[in-house]
Amino acid sequence: MLNHDLVFLKRFSMLLVFLGALALGLILFAHYLNGKVVYDKDPGTHQNLLDRIAPVGAVYAGATGAAAQAAAAAAAAAAQTANVPFDGRTDGAEIFNNGPCTGCHTAGVGGAPKLDAAGIGARVAQQGVEELIKKATEGFTGSAGVMPARGGNPALTDDQMKAVVEWMASQSK
Ligand code: HEC
């Protein structure tokens, strides 16, 4: 090996040792700095993080899981009733008077049977309340005119339709 090769190797290895030491120093310095960082303790931030990483289809297991599942189901049910008219209440009078039904059935618009013995009362006698609930829910066209499904408000629930038709029947004696 020539002399100047040896000189080069010596200098080059010194350079490598120096760079290695420098890298190690920077690593230790970064580690030290990282220890000084104060992380955000805001509970809102923490909750946001949990929300972001929450599984889309949550899996529930064990007793805690059952409780969490019940809570999730209750929250879902609450969210659903929020979109239902009258907040999901099944007060027949309230639904009739504030819903679509009164528009036709109070004055008998378009052949709609009124809330009297000759109107809804006669139909209860002929068909029975259950049948009226079914037809009012599904909608139908009869000889008198068109009864739109759920009075034209598809958001009314089955329970609400049952309640309002039963109330109409009770008012038509
Ligand atoms: C656009 C007008 C209109 C609205 C709104 C309306 N109805 Fe009717 N409804 C009718 C007509 C017309 C008939 C009679 C159809 C026939 O027999 O030819 C009828 C019939 C009925 C009957 C008797 C069904 C049968 O089998 O004889 C019931 C019960 C009833 N409606 C309930 C309701 C309820 C409850 C609502 C509100 C959620 C409602 N209607 C809203 C027009 C309407």
Side-chain angles (χ1 to χ4, degrees):
M1 213 180 273
L2 292 172
N3 197 31
H4 61 260
D5 285 342
L6 284 176
V7 171
F8 168 78
L9 274 181
K10 196 175 160 203
R11 298 229 167 113
F12 191 63
S13 35
M14 278 167 68
L15 182 67
L16 286 181
V17 169
F18 170 74
L19 287 175
L22 184 68
L24 193 68
L26 286 173
I27 289 170
L28 290 176
F29 183 59
H31 190 71
Y32 162 77
L33 280 187
N34 189 41
K36 299 222 119 189
V37 176
V38 179
Y39 286 103
D40 200 349
K41 292 268 168 23
D42 179 10
T45 310
H46 185 63
Q47 190 55 49
N48 285 346
L49 176 74
L50 291 181
D51 289 348
R52 268 202 306 278
I53 63 173
V56 175
V59 174
Y60 303 106
T64 27
Q69 189 173 25
Q80 204 175 28
T81 46
N83 296 325
V84 165
F86 310 106
D87 291 336
R89 286 191 298 277
T90 52
D91 178 341
E94 179 187 22
I95 296 168
F96 183 87
N97 290 313
N98 300 301
C101 323
T102 185
C104 294
H105 285 276
T106 297
V109 176
K114 295 204 254 180
L115 300 191
D116 53 29
I120 290 290
R123 292 179 184 238
V124 174
Q126 286 161 12
Q127 313 179 52
V129 179
E130 292 307 317
E131 183 66 13
L132 298 195
I133 294 170
K134 185 169 175 287
K135 285 167 72 186
T137 304
E138 291 169 358
F140 73 104
T141 303
S143 53
V146 177
M147 165 62 205
R150 296 177 200 266
N153 183 352
L156 286 170
T157 66
D158 287 351
D159 286 345
Q160 290 178 323
M161 286 305 296
K162 178 170 150 54
V164 66
V165 174
E166 282 173 352
W167 181 83
M168 286 167 76
S170 75
Q171 301 298 305
S172 309
K173 301 204 164 116

Short mmCIF file of all heavy atoms in Angstrom, two decimals, residues 95-96 99-105 108-113 119-120 123-124 126-129 131-137 140-153 156 160-166 168-169, ligand 1:
data_model
loop_
_atom_site.label_atom_id
_atom_site.label_comp_id
_atom_site.label_asym_id
_atom_site.label_seq_id
_atom_site.Cartn_x
_atom_site.Cartn_y
_atom_site.Cartn_z
N ILE A 95 -100.82 14.96 17.43
CA ILE A 95 -100.42 14.63 16.06
C ILE A 95 -101.50 15.05 15.06
O ILE A 95 -101.21 15.63 14.03
CB ILE A 95 -100.12 13.12 15.95
CG1 ILE A 95 -98.93 12.75 16.84
CG2 ILE A 95 -99.82 12.74 14.49
CD1 ILE A 95 -98.74 11.26 17.03
N PHE A 96 -102.76 14.78 15.43
CA PHE A 96 -103.85 15.14 14.51
C PHE A 96 -103.90 16.65 14.29
O PHE A 96 -103.94 17.12 13.16
CB PHE A 96 -105.20 14.65 15.06
CG PHE A 96 -106.34 14.94 14.11
CD1 PHE A 96 -106.66 14.04 13.10
CD2 PHE A 96 -107.07 16.12 14.21
CE1 PHE A 96 -107.68 14.32 12.20
CE2 PHE A 96 -108.09 16.40 13.31
CZ PHE A 96 -108.41 15.50 12.31
N GLY A 99 -100.26 17.86 13.00
CA GLY A 99 -99.70 17.14 11.87
C GLY A 99 -100.50 17.42 10.61
O GLY A 99 -101.28 18.38 10.57
N PRO A 100 -100.34 16.58 9.60
CA PRO A 100 -101.02 16.83 8.33
C PRO A 100 -102.52 16.48 8.36
O PRO A 100 -103.29 17.03 7.57
CB PRO A 100 -100.28 15.90 7.35
CG PRO A 100 -99.75 14.79 8.21
CD PRO A 100 -99.46 15.41 9.55
N CYS A 101 -102.93 15.62 9.29
CA CYS A 101 -104.27 15.03 9.25
C CYS A 101 -105.38 16.07 9.27
O CYS A 101 -106.35 15.97 8.51
CB CYS A 101 -104.46 14.08 10.43
SG CYS A 101 -102.98 13.14 10.86
N THR A 102 -105.24 17.07 10.16
CA THR A 102 -106.32 18.04 10.31
C THR A 102 -106.61 18.79 9.03
O THR A 102 -107.76 19.17 8.76
CB THR A 102 -105.99 19.02 11.46
OG1 THR A 102 -107.11 19.87 11.67
CG2 THR A 102 -104.78 19.88 11.15
N GLY A 103 -105.61 18.96 8.20
CA GLY A 103 -105.76 19.70 6.94
C GLY A 103 -106.88 19.15 6.09
O GLY A 103 -107.58 19.90 5.40
N CYS A 104 -107.05 17.83 6.10
CA CYS A 104 -108.11 17.22 5.29
C CYS A 104 -109.28 16.76 6.15
O CYS A 104 -110.44 16.93 5.76
CB CYS A 104 -107.57 16.02 4.53
SG CYS A 104 -106.33 16.46 3.28
N HIS A 105 -108.97 16.17 7.31
CA HIS A 105 -110.03 15.48 8.03
C HIS A 105 -110.93 16.38 8.88
O HIS A 105 -112.03 15.98 9.23
CB HIS A 105 -109.44 14.36 8.90
CG HIS A 105 -109.04 13.17 8.08
ND1 HIS A 105 -109.93 12.20 7.70
CD2 HIS A 105 -107.85 12.84 7.52
CE1 HIS A 105 -109.30 11.29 6.96
NE2 HIS A 105 -108.02 11.67 6.84
N GLY A 108 -113.15 17.89 6.04
CA GLY A 108 -113.58 16.92 5.05
C GLY A 108 -113.10 17.27 3.65
O GLY A 108 -113.77 17.01 2.65
N VAL A 109 -111.92 17.85 3.57
CA VAL A 109 -111.35 18.25 2.27
C VAL A 109 -111.09 17.02 1.39
O VAL A 109 -110.58 16.01 1.85
CB VAL A 109 -110.01 19.02 2.50
CG1 VAL A 109 -109.34 19.36 1.16
CG2 VAL A 109 -110.27 20.27 3.32
N GLY A 110 -111.45 17.13 0.14
CA GLY A 110 -111.17 16.07 -0.84
C GLY A 110 -111.84 14.75 -0.52
O GLY A 110 -111.32 13.70 -0.88
N GLY A 111 -112.96 14.80 0.19
CA GLY A 111 -113.67 13.56 0.50
C GLY A 111 -113.18 12.88 1.76
O GLY A 111 -113.63 11.77 2.09
N ALA A 112 -112.28 13.51 2.50
CA ALA A 112 -111.76 12.89 3.72
C ALA A 112 -112.88 12.76 4.75
O ALA A 112 -113.61 13.74 5.00
CB ALA A 112 -110.62 13.73 4.29
N PRO A 113 -113.05 11.60 5.35
CA PRO A 113 -114.08 11.43 6.38
C PRO A 113 -113.78 12.30 7.60
O PRO A 113 -112.65 12.36 8.07
CB PRO A 113 -114.02 9.94 6.72
CG PRO A 113 -112.69 9.47 6.25
CD PRO A 113 -112.32 10.34 5.09
N GLY A 119 -118.61 10.02 9.54
CA GLY A 119 -117.31 9.98 8.87
C GLY A 119 -116.45 8.82 9.34
O GLY A 119 -116.72 7.67 9.01
N ILE A 120 -115.45 9.14 10.14
CA ILE A 120 -114.55 8.10 10.65
C ILE A 120 -115.34 7.06 11.46
O ILE A 120 -115.07 5.87 11.38
CB ILE A 120 -113.44 8.73 11.53
CG1 ILE A 120 -112.46 9.53 10.66
CG2 ILE A 120 -112.69 7.66 12.32
CD1 ILE A 120 -111.57 8.71 9.75
N ARG A 123 -116.64 4.27 9.43
CA ARG A 123 -115.58 3.41 8.91
C ARG A 123 -115.06 2.47 10.01
O ARG A 123 -114.70 1.32 9.73
CB ARG A 123 -114.45 4.26 8.34
CG ARG A 123 -114.91 4.98 7.08
CD ARG A 123 -113.84 5.86 6.50
NE ARG A 123 -114.37 6.60 5.37
CZ ARG A 123 -113.85 6.53 4.14
NH1 ARG A 123 -112.81 5.78 3.90
NH2 ARG A 123 -114.39 7.23 3.17
N VAL A 124 -115.02 3.01 11.25
CA VAL A 124 -114.61 2.14 12.37
C VAL A 124 -115.60 0.99 12.48
O VAL A 124 -115.21 -0.17 12.63
CB VAL A 124 -114.55 2.94 13.69
CG1 VAL A 124 -114.28 1.99 14.86
CG2 VAL A 124 -113.49 4.03 13.63
N GLN A 126 -117.49 -0.27 10.16
CA GLN A 126 -117.39 -1.20 9.01
C GLN A 126 -116.12 -2.05 9.05
O GLN A 126 -116.16 -3.25 8.77
CB GLN A 126 -117.34 -0.41 7.69
CG GLN A 126 -118.66 0.20 7.25
CD GLN A 126 -118.42 1.32 6.22
OE1 GLN A 126 -117.32 1.47 5.70
NE2 GLN A 126 -119.46 2.10 5.96
N GLN A 127 -114.99 -1.42 9.34
CA GLN A 127 -113.71 -2.12 9.12
C GLN A 127 -112.93 -2.43 10.39
O GLN A 127 -112.03 -3.26 10.37
CB GLN A 127 -112.79 -1.26 8.22
CG GLN A 127 -113.50 -0.71 6.99
CD GLN A 127 -112.56 0.15 6.17
OE1 GLN A 127 -111.47 -0.27 5.82
NE2 GLN A 127 -112.96 1.37 5.89
N GLY A 128 -113.23 -1.72 11.47
CA GLY A 128 -112.44 -1.92 12.68
C GLY A 128 -111.22 -1.00 12.67
O GLY A 128 -110.70 -0.66 11.61
N VAL A 129 -110.79 -0.60 13.85
CA VAL A 129 -109.71 0.38 13.96
C VAL A 129 -108.39 -0.13 13.37
O VAL A 129 -107.67 0.60 12.70
CB VAL A 129 -109.50 0.80 15.44
CG1 VAL A 129 -108.36 1.79 15.56
CG2 VAL A 129 -110.77 1.39 16.01
N GLU A 131 -107.78 -2.04 10.89
CA GLU A 131 -107.75 -1.92 9.43
C GLU A 131 -107.55 -0.45 9.02
O GLU A 131 -106.82 -0.16 8.07
CB GLU A 131 -109.07 -2.47 8.85
CG GLU A 131 -109.14 -2.47 7.34
CD GLU A 131 -108.15 -3.42 6.67
OE1 GLU A 131 -107.56 -4.26 7.37
OE2 GLU A 131 -107.96 -3.29 5.44
N LEU A 132 -108.19 0.46 9.76
CA LEU A 132 -108.03 1.89 9.44
C LEU A 132 -106.58 2.32 9.65
O LEU A 132 -106.04 3.10 8.87
CB LEU A 132 -108.96 2.75 10.32
CG LEU A 132 -110.47 2.53 10.20
CD1 LEU A 132 -111.20 3.70 10.84
CD2 LEU A 132 -110.91 2.36 8.76
N ILE A 133 -105.97 1.81 10.74
CA ILE A 133 -104.57 2.16 11.02
C ILE A 133 -103.71 1.69 9.84
O ILE A 133 -102.86 2.44 9.33
CB ILE A 133 -104.09 1.49 12.32
CG1 ILE A 133 -104.85 2.05 13.53
CG2 ILE A 133 -102.59 1.69 12.51
CD1 ILE A 133 -104.63 1.29 14.82
N LYS A 134 -103.94 0.47 9.43
CA LYS A 134 -103.14 -0.12 8.35
C LYS A 134 -103.28 0.70 7.07
O LYS A 134 -102.29 1.08 6.43
CB LYS A 134 -103.62 -1.56 8.12
CG LYS A 134 -102.81 -2.34 7.12
CD LYS A 134 -103.20 -3.82 7.18
CE LYS A 134 -102.51 -4.65 6.11
NZ LYS A 134 -103.05 -4.42 4.78
N LYS A 135 -104.54 1.05 6.70
CA LYS A 135 -104.77 1.77 5.45
C LYS A 135 -104.26 3.20 5.52
O LYS A 135 -103.74 3.73 4.54
CB LYS A 135 -106.26 1.73 5.09
CG LYS A 135 -106.66 0.35 4.57
CD LYS A 135 -108.15 0.18 4.50
CE LYS A 135 -108.78 0.99 3.37
NZ LYS A 135 -110.27 0.90 3.43
N ALA A 136 -104.41 3.84 6.69
CA ALA A 136 -103.92 5.21 6.82
C ALA A 136 -102.40 5.23 6.75
O ALA A 136 -101.79 6.18 6.24
CB ALA A 136 -104.39 5.81 8.15
N THR A 137 -101.75 4.16 7.26
CA THR A 137 -100.29 4.09 7.25
C THR A 137 -99.77 3.84 5.83
O THR A 137 -98.83 4.48 5.38
CB THR A 137 -99.82 2.98 8.20
OG1 THR A 137 -100.35 3.21 9.49
CG2 THR A 137 -98.30 2.94 8.28
N PHE A 140 -104.12 4.87 0.59
CA PHE A 140 -105.01 4.17 -0.36
C PHE A 140 -105.86 5.17 -1.10
O PHE A 140 -105.99 6.33 -0.69
CB PHE A 140 -105.90 3.15 0.38
CG PHE A 140 -107.00 3.77 1.19
CD1 PHE A 140 -108.32 3.76 0.74
CD2 PHE A 140 -106.72 4.38 2.40
CE1 PHE A 140 -109.33 4.35 1.49
CE2 PHE A 140 -107.73 4.97 3.16
CZ PHE A 140 -109.04 4.94 2.70
N THR A 141 -106.41 4.72 -2.19
CA THR A 141 -107.35 5.55 -2.93
C THR A 141 -108.70 4.85 -2.88
O THR A 141 -108.83 3.69 -3.30
CB THR A 141 -106.92 5.71 -4.41
OG1 THR A 141 -105.61 6.27 -4.41
CG2 THR A 141 -107.86 6.63 -5.15
N GLY A 142 -109.69 5.52 -2.30
CA GLY A 142 -111.02 4.92 -2.18
C GLY A 142 -112.01 5.64 -3.08
O GLY A 142 -111.61 6.45 -3.93
N SER A 143 -113.28 5.38 -2.86
CA SER A 143 -114.31 6.01 -3.71
C SER A 143 -114.45 7.49 -3.39
O SER A 143 -114.90 8.27 -4.23
CB SER A 143 -115.64 5.28 -3.51
OG SER A 143 -115.93 5.24 -2.12
N ALA A 144 -114.04 7.89 -2.16
CA ALA A 144 -114.18 9.30 -1.78
C ALA A 144 -112.99 10.15 -2.21
O ALA A 144 -113.14 11.34 -2.49
CB ALA A 144 -114.37 9.41 -0.27
N GLY A 145 -111.83 9.56 -2.28
CA GLY A 145 -110.65 10.34 -2.65
C GLY A 145 -109.36 9.63 -2.29
O GLY A 145 -109.36 8.41 -2.05
N VAL A 146 -108.26 10.40 -2.24
CA VAL A 146 -106.94 9.82 -1.98
C VAL A 146 -106.51 10.10 -0.55
O VAL A 146 -106.48 11.24 -0.10
CB VAL A 146 -105.88 10.40 -2.94
CG1 VAL A 146 -104.49 9.84 -2.60
CG2 VAL A 146 -106.24 10.10 -4.38
N MET A 147 -106.21 9.03 0.18
CA MET A 147 -105.63 9.16 1.52
C MET A 147 -104.14 8.86 1.36
O MET A 147 -103.76 7.72 1.11
CB MET A 147 -106.30 8.15 2.47
CG MET A 147 -105.57 7.91 3.79
SD MET A 147 -105.44 9.39 4.79
CE MET A 147 -104.00 9.02 5.77
N PRO A 148 -103.27 9.92 1.47
CA PRO A 148 -101.83 9.68 1.28
C PRO A 148 -101.25 8.86 2.43
O PRO A 148 -101.73 8.95 3.56
CB PRO A 148 -101.23 11.09 1.24
CG PRO A 148 -102.24 11.98 1.87
CD PRO A 148 -103.58 11.33 1.75
N ALA A 149 -100.23 8.02 2.14
CA ALA A 149 -99.58 7.22 3.17
C ALA A 149 -99.09 8.13 4.29
O ALA A 149 -98.46 9.16 4.03
CB ALA A 149 -98.41 6.45 2.57
N ARG A 150 -99.41 7.75 5.52
CA ARG A 150 -99.03 8.53 6.72
C ARG A 150 -99.43 10.00 6.58
O ARG A 150 -98.74 10.90 7.06
CB ARG A 150 -97.53 8.40 7.02
CG ARG A 150 -97.14 6.97 7.37
CD ARG A 150 -95.65 6.80 7.59
NE ARG A 150 -95.30 5.38 7.45
CZ ARG A 150 -95.21 4.51 8.46
NH1 ARG A 150 -95.43 4.90 9.69
NH2 ARG A 150 -94.91 3.25 8.24
N GLY A 151 -100.53 10.25 5.88
CA GLY A 151 -101.01 11.63 5.72
C GLY A 151 -100.04 12.50 4.94
O GLY A 151 -100.17 13.72 4.94
N GLY A 152 -99.06 11.87 4.29
CA GLY A 152 -98.08 12.64 3.52
C GLY A 152 -96.82 12.95 4.29
O GLY A 152 -95.92 13.60 3.76
N ASN A 153 -96.76 12.53 5.54
CA ASN A 153 -95.53 12.74 6.31
C ASN A 153 -94.90 11.38 6.63
O ASN A 153 -95.23 10.76 7.65
CB ASN A 153 -95.81 13.51 7.60
CG ASN A 153 -94.52 13.80 8.38
OD1 ASN A 153 -93.45 13.30 8.02
ND2 ASN A 153 -94.62 14.60 9.42
N LEU A 156 -93.67 10.14 10.23
CA LEU A 156 -94.52 9.68 11.34
C LEU A 156 -94.28 8.18 11.54
O LEU A 156 -94.25 7.41 10.58
CB LEU A 156 -96.00 9.93 11.01
CG LEU A 156 -96.46 11.38 11.09
CD1 LEU A 156 -97.86 11.53 10.50
CD2 LEU A 156 -96.45 11.90 12.52
N GLN A 160 -97.01 6.27 16.14
CA GLN A 160 -97.73 7.54 16.05
C GLN A 160 -98.97 7.41 15.18
O GLN A 160 -100.02 7.98 15.49
CB GLN A 160 -96.79 8.63 15.51
CG GLN A 160 -95.71 9.02 16.52
CD GLN A 160 -94.74 10.06 15.97
OE1 GLN A 160 -94.39 10.03 14.81
NE2 GLN A 160 -94.31 10.96 16.83
N MET A 161 -98.86 6.65 14.09
CA MET A 161 -100.04 6.43 13.23
C MET A 161 -101.13 5.70 14.00
O MET A 161 -102.32 6.03 13.90
CB MET A 161 -99.64 5.65 11.97
CG MET A 161 -98.86 6.46 10.95
SD MET A 161 -99.72 7.98 10.45
CE MET A 161 -101.18 7.30 9.65
N LYS A 162 -100.71 4.70 14.78
CA LYS A 162 -101.67 3.94 15.59
C LYS A 162 -102.35 4.89 16.58
O LYS A 162 -103.58 4.90 16.71
CB LYS A 162 -100.91 2.83 16.33
CG LYS A 162 -101.74 1.97 17.25
CD LYS A 162 -100.87 0.78 17.69
CE LYS A 162 -101.21 0.22 19.06
NZ LYS A 162 -102.59 -0.15 19.26
N ALA A 163 -101.55 5.71 17.25
CA ALA A 163 -102.09 6.62 18.27
C ALA A 163 -103.07 7.61 17.66
O ALA A 163 -104.15 7.85 18.21
CB ALA A 163 -100.94 7.35 18.96
N VAL A 164 -102.72 8.19 16.51
CA VAL A 164 -103.57 9.23 15.95
C VAL A 164 -104.87 8.64 15.38
O VAL A 164 -105.95 9.22 15.55
CB VAL A 164 -102.81 10.09 14.90
CG1 VAL A 164 -102.43 9.29 13.68
CG2 VAL A 164 -103.66 11.29 14.48
N VAL A 165 -104.79 7.46 14.76
CA VAL A 165 -106.03 6.86 14.23
C VAL A 165 -106.94 6.43 15.38
O VAL A 165 -108.15 6.64 15.33
CB VAL A 165 -105.72 5.69 13.27
CG1 VAL A 165 -107.02 4.99 12.85
CG2 VAL A 165 -104.97 6.19 12.03
N GLU A 166 -106.33 5.89 16.44
CA GLU A 166 -107.16 5.50 17.60
C GLU A 166 -107.82 6.74 18.21
O GLU A 166 -108.99 6.70 18.61
CB GLU A 166 -106.29 4.78 18.66
CG GLU A 166 -106.02 3.32 18.27
CD GLU A 166 -105.04 2.62 19.19
OE1 GLU A 166 -104.44 3.30 20.05
OE2 GLU A 166 -104.87 1.40 19.02
N MET A 168 -108.58 9.50 16.55
CA MET A 168 -109.62 9.91 15.61
C MET A 168 -110.89 9.06 15.83
O MET A 168 -112.00 9.58 15.85
CB MET A 168 -109.14 9.75 14.15
CG MET A 168 -108.15 10.82 13.72
SD MET A 168 -107.31 10.39 12.16
CE MET A 168 -108.58 10.75 10.96
N ALA A 169 -110.69 7.75 16.01
CA ALA A 169 -111.84 6.86 16.22
C ALA A 169 -112.57 7.25 17.51
O ALA A 169 -113.80 7.30 17.55
CB ALA A 169 -111.36 5.41 16.29
C1 HEC B 1 -104.61 15.17 1.55
C2 HEC B 1 -105.72 14.96 2.45
C3 HEC B 1 -105.55 13.98 3.58
C4 HEC B 1 -104.63 14.05 4.61
C5 HEC B 1 -103.53 15.06 4.81
C6 HEC B 1 -104.94 12.94 5.49
N1 HEC B 1 -105.96 12.22 5.00
FE1 HEC B 1 -106.78 10.54 5.82
N2 HEC B 1 -108.07 10.39 4.26
C7 HEC B 1 -108.17 11.27 3.21
C8 HEC B 1 -109.20 10.84 2.31
C9 HEC B 1 -109.65 11.56 1.03
C10 HEC B 1 -109.74 9.66 2.86
C11 HEC B 1 -110.87 8.82 2.31
C12 HEC B 1 -110.42 8.01 1.12
C13 HEC B 1 -111.53 7.15 0.58
O1 HEC B 1 -112.10 6.37 1.36
O2 HEC B 1 -111.82 7.28 -0.58
C14 HEC B 1 -108.99 9.42 4.10
C15 HEC B 1 -109.23 8.35 4.93
C16 HEC B 1 -108.65 8.17 6.16
C17 HEC B 1 -108.96 7.14 7.09
C18 HEC B 1 -110.01 6.07 6.90
C19 HEC B 1 -109.39 4.88 6.26
C20 HEC B 1 -110.36 3.86 5.79
O3 HEC B 1 -109.94 2.71 5.68
O4 HEC B 1 -111.53 4.17 5.56
C21 HEC B 1 -108.17 7.28 8.17
C22 HEC B 1 -108.13 6.44 9.43
C23 HEC B 1 -107.31 8.42 7.91
N3 HEC B 1 -107.62 8.94 6.67
C24 HEC B 1 -106.34 8.87 8.77
C25 HEC B 1 -105.50 9.94 8.50
C26 HEC B 1 -104.45 10.35 9.37
C27 HEC B 1 -104.09 9.69 10.66
C28 HEC B 1 -103.85 11.43 8.79
C29 HEC B 1 -102.66 12.21 9.30
C30 HEC B 1 -101.47 11.45 9.60
C31 HEC B 1 -104.54 11.67 7.53
N4 HEC B 1 -105.52 10.75 7.40
C32 HEC B 1 -104.23 12.70 6.66
C33 HEC B 1 -107.41 12.40 3.01
C34 HEC B 1 -106.36 12.81 3.83
#
